[in-house]
């Protein structure tokens, strides 16, 4: 059973190794300078050598990401419910939501710095800003998708609007919600790094900038590697929670504790 | 209940993750002893200084004063605000988020033009160390050969004017292609996609020398550009009005730091290195070499560090204004300015 | 004398959509007495489900009176247990949790609701499936669970809208017997919709035949077969004659 699960990732593994091998050879053969594109092996070695410093920045960025995503989830969920409850609010708010995603960080950064300062504030805000949208939209669509027949049934039982929301719409919207959450998880870490560009004492974004300014490109790539791993872990965590929350969605026959 | 349990677990796991991360963060901050702000003694006033770039040898005097405890002696708890790609030190200072900061003459002139003035209270380096450079094998041996070539700049509005003037002074047409870069200037140059860049002799040039890259160097003050101070220590007019005593004490400690740096290059370089987290300077040798270059140049021999002359504040600023390179807040080029308001020596001893 | 469980008098329903109007029901009269099993049959699309929606309180009649337990004024929602054509089990709830749904809406304490649901499952032979999810159940099983959910919500008055329509003949038969068992256990009053004449005859005390749209009552027939009903009774002369009569009536309506 475990073997089959592992085998499922076989092709991805092979593809990954192939790409890395090509990369290593491409740089070693001198086609491109190692100052511009370090080899995978050099990157991993640099990561290990500098782990004591990088781990500090990693933890900072992870903190920003996790807090920002928590805020995004709560806000996105509440927003979706609001959009569902009041149809006119949907027409009024939707365009504003879309616009909120198009504001580039260059414009936002000075404002954030002035309002929130240099601590966690602006980073959490940026992560929340870019993550709440997929969550809110996916969840709102899921809420609206509830079967009308089912709603009728509940109404025949004299269920109130809130009961219908709680008993039928929300649980039914969960698969969509998790869809949105998975998308948000992919962008969470990068969002935190963008937030750090606004101004920060530490964090992977700042580390990348420092390393870049000091011409230590291999460290920039090491930080990118950490970012990638963090994003994968977040993505995996969301999938795990989805499995726990929605066993019925994945065809689990009998309740498992 | 089954559903209830699943609901709790779905909320519980993320909460647990958050608690773990926050916990780990706080624990690590304590361990590193760099927790946010030490409560310290009541007497100390906290002061924020906004850096203009990632730490380099322009900033050494400040780090020396920090390390030697000279700010503490003046009752100042100095906090360095890190450089932000998106928000300049000028904005931080003029909005009051930082007490003091580091900027350039061009920056100060531009700030005054858009009505967010800052005041230079010290010149960190007395003579300008900027230079245009090309690769030695590019065949470009003097500024007039730069006509028609590709320049990799940093997106400042006055760049074109200054660079054009340098070329013209040497007899060239003054026309060239201006590309705003987001990559490292040296890398761009070495990629040969860019023909020339603007760098500082105290840093990039030394770095290139250490790496064995051969360059042609055109110091801008050799080609018709009036000498000017860069970088400068700035503060806001508000700060000057409200906290003159604090500024005086700050400058006392800072001047001490730079005076020490002038005469103790090696030692200061070591302090700059150790004051920053490991990894800030992957090439410590560069820091030392740069410091040895810069230390005698912070000010002319026999002159006190930081003092500013009127000439430097009229020549170059007028030049860039004349080139229509400085706009007001509405986007129209300005034609005159009261330069005397841009600087003051009142806090220097 | 106690009022009938359900009294429908002169009920009509017109749907308006902008300029268009749809005459769905034209003056329906119908009675269900306490403990009776009454069936409504009619051609497809004649408005049977609309009638049900009105009785269940989900919709309102354009004209006429609908009284449950003699009350024509109050809200009808919640007074009947409505089972629509699709079982509509909530996929995220287990079988026992689905059966409890009605009690959850009524805010009955969880433990009590779960206990009652379990008892019901046990009583009707479904206890083994209590923790299963609907996705793993067959069509017939799902209908049974839906029926138990309906009964647990309100056992006194059931509205069943073609509950066995989508099932194969054998499953349908066993479910019909099962339904009669449930009905007799709880002494419910039942209003049943089907387009299957045999099923109507097998299950009901009385049958109302509706015309095609706009629907009105064409015939009211009392089914005199003895209780408890068995499928063999459908072969009796009386039953056969009734079946032919009603089928002919329906076929005429179907063509219209």
């Amino acid at each position: 059973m475990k073997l089959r699960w592992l085998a499922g990732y076989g092709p991805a593994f092979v593809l990954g190794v192939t790409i890395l091998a090509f990369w290593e050879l491409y740089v070693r053969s001198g086609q491109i300078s190692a100052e511009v594109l370090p080899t995978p092996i050099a990157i991993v070695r640099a990561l290990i050598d500098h782990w004591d410093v990088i781990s500090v920045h990693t933890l900072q960025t992870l903190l920003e990401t996790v807090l920002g995503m928590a805020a995004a989830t709560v806000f996105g969920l509440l927003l979706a419910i609001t959009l569902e409850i009041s149809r006119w609010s949907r027409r009024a708010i939707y365009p504003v939501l879309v616009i909120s995603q198009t504001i580039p960080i260059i414009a936002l950064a000075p404002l954030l710095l002035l309002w929130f300062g240099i601590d966690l504030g602006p980073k959490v805000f940026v992560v929340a800003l870019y993550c709440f949208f997929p969550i809110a939209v996916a969840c709102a669509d899921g809420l609206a998708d509830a079967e009308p027949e089912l709603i009728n049934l509940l109404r025949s039982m004299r269920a109130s609007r809130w009961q219908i929301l709680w008993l039928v719409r929300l649980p039914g919207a969960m698969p969509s919600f998790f869809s949105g959450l998975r998308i948000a998880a992919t962008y969470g870490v990068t969002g935190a790094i963008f937030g750090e560009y606004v101004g920060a004492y530490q964090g992977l974004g700042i580390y990348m900038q420092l390393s870049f300014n000091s011409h230590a490109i291999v460290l920039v790539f090491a930080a990118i590697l950490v970012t990638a791993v963090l994003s994968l872990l977040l993505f995996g965590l969301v999938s795990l929670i989805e499995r726990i929350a929605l066993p019925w969605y994945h065809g689990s026959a009998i309740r498992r504790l | 209940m089954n559903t209830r349990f699943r609901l709790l677990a779905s909320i519980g796991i993320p909460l647990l993750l958050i608690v773990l991360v926050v916990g780990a963060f706080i624990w690590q901050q304590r361990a590193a002893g760099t927790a946010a702000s030490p409560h310290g003694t009541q007497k100390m006033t906290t002061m924020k200084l906004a850096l203009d770039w990632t730490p380099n040898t322009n900033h050494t005097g400040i780090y020396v004063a920090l390390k030697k405890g000279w700010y503490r002696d003046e009752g100042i708890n100095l906090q360095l605000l890190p450089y932000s790609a998106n928000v300049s030190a000028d904005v931080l200072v003029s909005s009051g988020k930082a007490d003091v900061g580091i900027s350039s003459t061009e920056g100060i002139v531009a700030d005054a033009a858009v009505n967010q003035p800052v005041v230079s209270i010290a010149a960190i380096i007395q003579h300008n160390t900027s230079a245009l450079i090309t690769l030695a094998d590019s065949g470009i041996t003097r500024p007039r050969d730069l006509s028609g070539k590709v320049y990799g700049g940093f997106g400042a509005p006055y760049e074109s004017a200054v660079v054009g003037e340098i070329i013209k002074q040497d007899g060239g047409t003054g026309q060239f292609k201006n590309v705003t870069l987001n990559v490292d200037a040296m890398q761009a140059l070495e990629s040969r996609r860019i023909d020339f860049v603007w760098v500082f002799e105290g840093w990039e040039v030394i770095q290139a020398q250490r790496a064995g890259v051969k360059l042609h160097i055109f110091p801008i003050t050799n080609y018709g550009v009036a000498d000017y101070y860069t970088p400068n220590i700035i503060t806001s007019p508000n700060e000057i009005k409200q906290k003159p005593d604090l500024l005086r004490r700050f400058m006392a400690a800072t001047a001490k730091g730079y005076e020490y740096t002038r005469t103790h290059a090696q030692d200061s370089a070591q302090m700059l290195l150790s004051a920053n987290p490991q990894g800030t300077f992957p090439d410590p040798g560069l820091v030392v070499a740069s410091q040895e270059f810069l230390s005698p140049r912070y000010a002319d021999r026999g002159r006190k560090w930081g003092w500013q002359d009127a000439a430097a504040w009229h020549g170059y600023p007028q030049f860039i204004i004349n080139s229509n390179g400085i706009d007001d807040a509405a986007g129209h080029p300005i034609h005159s300015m009261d330069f005397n308001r841009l600087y003051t020596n009142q806090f220097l001893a | 004398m106690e009022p009938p469980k359900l009294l429908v008098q002169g009920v009509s329903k017109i749907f308006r959509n902008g300029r268009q109007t749809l005459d769905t029901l034209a003056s329906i009269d119908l009675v269900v007495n306490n403990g009776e099993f009454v069936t409504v049959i009619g051609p497809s699309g004649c408005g049977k489900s609309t009638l049900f929606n009105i009785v269940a309180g989900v919709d309102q009649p354009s004209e006429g009176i609908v009284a449950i337990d003699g009350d024509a004024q109050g809200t009808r929602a919640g007074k009947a247990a409505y089972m629509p054509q699709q079982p509509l089990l909530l996929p995220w709830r287990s079988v026992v949790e689905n059966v409890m749904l009605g009690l959850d809406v009524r805010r009955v304490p969880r433990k009590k609701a779960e206990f009652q649901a379990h008892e019901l499952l046990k009583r009707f032979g479904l206890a083994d499936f209590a923790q299963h999810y609907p996705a793993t159940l067959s069509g017939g099983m799902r209908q049974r669970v839906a029926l138990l959910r309906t009964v647990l919500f309100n056992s006194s008055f059931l509205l069943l809208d073609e509950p066995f329509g989508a099932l194969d003949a054998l499953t349908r038969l066993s479910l019909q017997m099962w339904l009669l068992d449930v009905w007799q256990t709880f002494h419910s009053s039942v209003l049943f919709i089907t387009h299957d004449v045999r099923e109507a005859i097998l299950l009901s005390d009385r049958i109302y035949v509706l015309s095609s749209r706009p629907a009105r009552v064409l015939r009211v027939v009392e089914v005199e077969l003895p209780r408890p009903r068995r499928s063999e009774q459908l072969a009796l002369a009386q039953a056969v004659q009734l079946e032919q009569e009603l089928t002919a009536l329906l076929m005429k309506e179907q063509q219209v």
Side-chain angles (χ1 to χ4, degrees), chain A residues 68-69 71-81 83 90 94 97-102 125-143 173-189 191 235 238:
Chain A
M69 284 202 59
T73 306
V74 171
F75 182 59
L77 203 53
L78 289 176
L79 188 61
I81 294 177
L83 290 179
R90 198 163 233 240
Y94 232 104
L97 290 190
V98 174
I99 292 177
S100 79
Q101 299 300 293
T102 61
F125 183 85
V126 172
V127 174
L129 177 66
Y130 290 126
C131 288
F132 91 91
F133 187 71
I135 297 176
V137 170
C139 193
D141 283 351
L143 286 173
M174 283 300 107
S176 302
F177 167 75
F178 274 101
S179 253
L181 195 56
R182 256 179 279 130
I183 295 176
T186 326
Y187 293 121
V189 183
F235 191 87
V238 172

Side-chain angles (χ1 to χ4, degrees), chain A residues 4 11 21 103 118 136 195 217-218 235 250:
Chain A
R4 188 153 9 128
I103 306 176
I118 292 209
I217 305 301
V218 69
F235 191 87
H250 294 281

Side-chain angles (χ1 to χ4, degrees), chain B residues 133-166:
Chain B
I133 59 170
T134 65
L135 291 175
D137 58 8
S138 66
I140 303 171
T141 52
R142 39 188 315 167
R144 70 157 163 251
D145 296 335
L146 292 172
S147 295
K149 297 288 185 220
V150 183
Y151 168 68
F154 33 88
Y158 48 79
E159 260 179 297
S160 288
V162 180
V163 173
E165 185 63 28
I166 297 173

Side-chain angles (χ1 to χ4, degrees), chain A residues 60 114 198 200 214-215 245 255, chain B residues 2 6 82 84 97 184 207 280:
Chain A
Q60 173 79 31
L114 292 177
V198 173
S214 317
H215 302 291
R255 166 181 76 145
Chain B
N2 179 29
R6 279 191 275 118
S84 159
K97 289 273 165 175
D184 184 58
Q207 187 170 31
T280 312

Side-chain angles (χ1 to χ4, degrees), chain B residues 69-325:
Chain B
W70 289 330
Y71 289 116
R72 219 181 309 132
D73 291 344
E74 297 281 355
I76 296 177
N77 172 23
L78 187 70
Q79 281 182 3
L80 297 181
L81 298 183
Y83 153 70
S84 159
N86 284 307
V87 188
S88 66
D90 302 58
V91 171
L92 288 171
V93 167
S94 59
S95 68
K97 289 273 165 175
D99 299 279
V100 287
I102 304 196
S103 182
S104 60
T105 297
E106 295 99 332
I108 296 170
V109 172
D111 295 335
V114 298
N115 235 332
Q116 285 175 348
V118 295
V119 180
S120 166
I121 56 178
I124 293 182
I125 302 177
Q126 189 187 351
H127 296 293
N128 200 282
T129 60
S130 306
L132 297 178
I133 59 170
T134 65
L135 291 175
D137 58 8
S138 66
I140 303 171
T141 52
R142 39 188 315 167
R144 70 157 163 251
D145 296 335
L146 292 172
S147 295
K149 297 288 185 220
V150 183
Y151 168 68
F154 33 88
Y158 48 79
E159 260 179 297
S160 288
V162 180
V163 173
E165 185 63 28
I166 297 173
I167 300 176
K168 274 194 267 188
Q169 283 281 335
D170 194 46
T173 63
Q175 301 279 69
F176 63 96
K177 295 196 203 100
N178 189 343
V179 175
T180 304
L181 290 177
N182 220 330
V183 299
D184 184 58
M186 288 306 300
Q187 282 201 335
L189 195 63
E190 287 176 59
S191 75
R192 292 172 196 279
R193 306 221 186 251
I194 302 285
D195 296 311
F196 63 108
V197 289
W198 179 322
V199 296
F200 292 95
E201 295 182 76
W203 192 259
E204 285 94 341
V205 171
I206 296 187
Q207 187 170 31
Q209 284 168 351
R210 287 171 66 81
V213 177
K214 301 251 185 279
L215 305 168
H216 287 301
I217 306 169
F218 315 132
I220 66 176
T221 48
N222 287 2
Y223 295 94
V225 178
D227 196 8
Y228 62 100
Y229 307 129
T230 266
N232 309 60
I233 300 189
I234 55 169
T235 187
S236 62
N238 235 1
E239 188 90 6
I240 293 179
K241 220 187 304 178
Q242 290 174 352
K243 306 182 192 171
D245 184 59
L246 183 64
L247 288 172
R248 208 168 297 127
R249 282 154 43 209
F250 168 76
M251 284 313 299
T254 307
K256 216 168 161 186
Y258 276 100
E259 294 292 0
Y260 183 87
T261 311
R262 284 170 83 181
T263 47
H264 298 80
Q266 282 275 348
D267 198 18
S268 312
Q270 289 309 320
M271 282 191 250
L272 176 63
L273 284 167
S274 62
N276 283 291
Q278 199 194 8
T280 312
F281 303 107
D283 181 9
L286 169 61
V287 175
V288 177
S290 169
Q291 192 61 64
E292 296 197 333
F293 173 87
L294 216 47
S295 275
R297 290 179 171 78
Y298 287 119
D300 288 337
R301 197 181 285 272
R303 178 180 160 115
K304 280 221 194 142
W305 171 86
W307 284 83
Q308 309 171 78
D309 296 330
W313 276 106
H314 285 78
Y316 182 65
Q318 188 63 52
F319 168 69
I320 50 179
I321 286 181
N322 286 348
S323 70
N324 290 334

Side-chain angles (χ1 to χ4, degrees), chain B residues 11 83 99 336 346:
Chain B
I11 299 185
Y83 153 70
D99 299 279
S336 69
Q346 70 184 123

